[in-house]
Amino acid sequence: FEATYPFLPEMLDTLAQRWGSFAGFQGIRGMLRLLMLLLDACKDLALPYLTLADFNLSNHDIRRELLRHVGGTFDEVILSDLMGENATVRAVEQSLEYDGMLFPFAMRAATTIFLSSFSESGQNGASFAEIKRHALLPDQPARIIGEVMRSFQERLNFLHAQQNKYLFLRQPNLNYLLMMSTEHIQEYGVDELEQELLRK
């Protein structure tokens, strides 16, 4: 940790082993470009050290650099679940109140998962322990993690769980399909929907 400060060593491993597997990442040069963007975005923040959770996806330069490797279609995932005006993570964040204090943990957890979701090797996703190491700040209660992950699984549209790891995919999950079905019923009405189903 001392050798890699101010970066969490595990973050450097993720960038090198997962993001570095993309052909256009350019190895060490790609890592340095991302780390430079991260340092510039965080230079005025009082953070003890920097992790995957500190990549601000609302930062245009950081977001553009990441999407350049994984594809612009993931912009829909970011807008729907993370950074949009009505993004689900924002709603979860506003509900995290303990002893009258709000904790900015949900966005950090979602960002950690997003940065861990990609590689050409197929080793994708973040475990519960990895999310804890990257997203939890020293002044935040550890019990907040379980509550956030339950809320994520119940409410996010593109979050998936595979082999005890969480990751974002382009494919919507059951939450999204249920939401779309509900909107379809509300749009056409129950009677109209029944008639449509009978015709089919």
Side-chain angles (χ1 to χ4, degrees), residues 1 11 20 58 67 102 113 119 125 144 151 153 158 175 177 184:
F1 185 86
M11 181 189 79
S58 66
L67 292 179
L102 289 171
I113 296 169
S119 77
I144 207 171
S151 295
Q153 292 183 80
F158 294 92
N175 296 333
L177 298 177
H184 187 71

Side-chain angles (χ1 to χ4, degrees), residues 14 17-19 21-22 70 116-124:
T14 298
Q17 298 169 13
R18 300 189 187 187
W19 287 84
S21 66
F22 289 102
V70 300
S116 303
S117 294
F118 309 100
S119 77
E120 289 290 312
S121 63
Q123 298 179 352
N124 304 337

Side-chain angles (χ1 to χ4, degrees), residues 11-165:
M11 181 189 79
L12 300 182
D13 292 340
T14 298
L15 295 181
Q17 298 169 13
R18 300 189 187 187
W19 287 84
S21 66
F22 289 102
F25 192 75
Q26 297 180 319
I28 297 298
R29 183 181 298 176
M31 275 187 62
L32 291 175
R33 184 164 49 246
L34 268 178
L35 294 177
M36 183 178 65
L37 291 172
L38 176 62
L39 283 171
D40 184 62
C42 296
K43 63 181 183 294
D44 296 323
L45 303 178
L47 295 169
Y49 49 87
L50 299 175
T51 74
L52 293 176
D54 296 306
F55 280 95
N56 184 354
L57 296 177
S58 66
N59 181 293
H60 175 73
D61 293 330
I62 289 176
R63 187 159 153 183
R64 181 180 59 184
E65 180 65 22
L66 295 174
L67 292 179
R68 187 167 68 87
H69 301 291
V70 300
T73 54
F74 272 98
D75 207 32
E76 179 187 356
V77 176
I78 294 174
L79 290 174
S80 171
D81 277 350
L82 285 86
M83 306 304 303
E85 185 177 340
N86 298 314
T88 313
V89 171
R90 292 186 184 276
V92 173
E93 190 104 283
Q94 293 171 1
S95 68
L96 296 177
E97 183 173 345
Y98 287 87
D99 300 325
M101 297 178 63
L102 289 171
F103 292 96
F105 175 78
M107 189 63 70
R108 294 178 58 81
T111 303
T112 298
I113 296 169
F114 186 84
L115 267 291
S116 303
S117 294
F118 309 100
S119 77
E120 289 290 312
S121 63
Q123 298 179 352
N124 304 337
S127 67
F128 193 90
E130 289 168 333
I131 295 168
K132 178 180 179 180
R133 286 195 294 274
H134 285 274
L136 195 68
L137 292 171
D139 61 342
Q140 296 176 338
R143 65 183 184 276
I144 207 171
I145 304 173
E147 180 181 335
V148 166
M149 295 313 300
R150 283 192 296 273
S151 295
F152 278 5
Q153 292 183 80
E154 292 170 359
R155 302 171 69 175
L156 296 187
N157 294 320
F158 294 92
L159 181 72
H160 297 260
Q162 297 179 357
Q163 300 177 340
N164 296 319
K165 290 196 171 186

